[in-house]
Amino acid sequence: MAIIEIENLTYRYPHTEQPALRDLSLQVETGEFVAVIGANGAGKSTLCYTLTGFVPHFFQGELAGRVHVAGLETKDHHLEDIVLVSGLVFQNPFNQISGAKFSVYDEIAFGLENLGVPREEMPPRIERAMAMTGIADMAGRSPYDLSGGQQQRVALASMLVMEPKVLVLDEPTSQLDPLGSREVFAVIRELSREGMTVVMAEHKLEWVAAFADRVLVLADGQLALSGPPAEVLTSPLLESYHIGQTRYTSVARLVEAEGGWPAGEPLPVTLEEAEVSFKAALISPQMNAD
Ligand SMILES: Nc1ncnc2c1ncn2[C@@H]1O[C@H](COP(=O)(O)OP(=O)(O)OP(=O)(O)O)[C@@H](O)[C@H]1O
Ligand SMILES: [Mg+2]
């Protein structure tokens, strides 16, 4: 059985007419790094809540279908038990801060205290999480006196330290600068290589292309596309779902429109692919015809 199995999930928030997720089926294997993309309101956050039990236990509403995560059928288990195996990094880092602790270090320790982790095991785990997220020098600062991007790193660290089997991240780099975003993607990639299963809602397509194993497209609450980044991110359907493309694909499409793209050469989605395919385009007969 896959670590995440969703079958025919339809979910409606309370007091709403239209379901936020519609007849969605999905399997994710252990250690897979899956990125979820989609327009505003497509259902990315709702899917994140569903994978971590907040739907239906916190948001209530009407859920049909099956959601099985890390051995638990979510609707049959309490949220307290689900969050031990499937952790969520919220879209807004402010929502992650406990409000109970006055330093970054204690904030990150908070989850471990709740887990009942022995005191002596805490420091190495906390220090590793802080190092991985680049906040080692902020241990004594108040979680409230940080920039949005710094808070986002603290939120990520406080989830990583719990070492959940499934890590769900809702736009965890939305407030990070470009290099910070790449660092976070690289850390997540590393953790997935170590066996953590990752589902990440994200708009930054260049990093999705470079780091994710698979890309899901949500459109209007439905799973519209699922496949390797090179395939999904060059799909001609993306525009109809209000999704852009990587800068590499954009430039390649311009060259293609001018008739300069070699027949059969795939459109690139990463810098490495762009280097290969633009070299091929430069030596192709079409470009040298006149
Ligand atoms: N708490 C809520 N109560 C009622 N409806 C909600 C609630 N949260 C989200 N919705 C609705 O559910 C749908 C999916 O919203 P969701 O937040 O999952 O989208 P999203 O893809 O995360 O968008 P964004 O890119 O803006 O974060 C939208 O139509 C939204 O209006
Ligand atoms: Mg969202």
Side-chain angles (χ1 to χ4, degrees):
M1 192 180 210
I3 189 156
I4 295 174
E5 296 217 343
I6 299 182
E7 267 175 38
N8 305 109
L9 165 70
T10 295
Y11 171 71
R12 217 158 44 80
Y13 284 100
H15 319 296
T16 58
E17 297 286 316
Q18 299 296 327
L21 295 174
R22 292 190 286 149
D23 198 25
L24 191 148
S25 294
L26 169 69
Q27 293 201 347
V28 179
E29 300 298 331
T30 302
E32 218 183 337
F33 180 175
V34 176
V36 182
I37 62 174
N40 294 138
K44 301 180 299 298
S45 293
T46 310
L47 179 61
C48 291
Y49 297 143
T50 306
L51 291 170
T52 48
F54 290 90
V55 161
H57 299 295
F58 179 79
F59 287 100
Q60 311 279 315
E62 233 173 74
L63 184 144
R66 291 187 52 237
V67 179
H68 201 84
V69 180
L72 303 179
E73 182 71 32
T74 58
K75 64 174 176 255
D76 300 336
H77 290 266
H78 293 292
L79 187 54
E80 303 92 271
D81 298 326
I82 302 168
V83 296
L84 299 180
V85 291
S86 183
L88 174 63
V89 177
F90 285 88
Q91 182 163 359
N92 180 350
F94 202 74
N95 292 337
Q96 199 101 29
I97 296 174
S98 66
K101 299 291 175 180
F102 299 101
S103 77
V104 165
Y105 189 95
D106 290 349
E107 178 68 29
I108 296 167
F110 186 59
L112 294 181
E113 288 166 7
N114 287 340
L115 274 185
V117 170
R119 283 254 147 224
E120 63 278 11
E121 286 176 25
M122 289 186 190
R125 281 175 69 167
I126 296 168
E127 278 150 31
R128 178 167 187 245
M130 292 181 66
M132 282 194 296
T133 51
I135 53 168
D137 57 343
M138 292 175 209
R141 307 243 332 242
S142 160
Y144 289 101
D145 299 340
L146 302 175
S147 74
Q150 289 166 337
Q151 277 184 346
Q152 209 152 26
R153 288 168 186 264
V154 173
L156 177 60
S158 58
M159 203 37 70
L160 292 187
V161 78
M162 312 274 280
E163 298 171 3
K165 288 186 185 148
V166 175
L167 178 63
V168 181
L169 308 120
D170 194 357
E171 298 190 37
T173 71
S174 57
Q175 304 191 43
L176 296 184
D177 52 49
L179 286 182
S181 301
R182 192 182 63 186
E183 277 165 28
V184 163
F185 268 93
V187 164
I188 302 296
R189 163 90 272 183
E190 186 55 34
L191 290 168
S192 92
R193 290 259 157 83
E194 289 172 13
M196 196 178 267
T197 306
V198 177
V199 177
M200 182 199 272
E202 183 58 61
H203 287 293
K204 292 179 181 158
L205 301 184
E206 272 90 18
W207 301 134
V208 165
F211 290 99
D213 296 316
R214 180 153 58 114
V215 182
L216 309 179
V217 173
L218 280 185
D220 230 352
Q222 287 183 301
L223 185 57
L225 297 172
S226 165
E231 186 184 304
V232 170
L233 295 176
T234 56
S235 165
L237 296 171
L238 284 191
E239 202 177 342
S240 64
Y241 302 133
H242 288 266
I243 299 170
Q245 50 191 350
T246 72
R247 65 188 86 169
Y248 312 112
T249 313
S250 302
V251 176
R253 283 229 163 89
L254 285 176
V255 177
E256 192 180 37
E258 300 281 321
W261 199 252
E265 183 66 32
L267 296 168
V269 296
T270 63
L271 181 60
E272 288 73 22
E273 288 171 18
E275 193 184 355
V276 173
S277 56
F278 281 106
K279 275 183 185 151
L282 280 173
I283 57 164
S284 76
Q286 291 100 311
M287 288 291 274
N288 299 328
D290 46 354

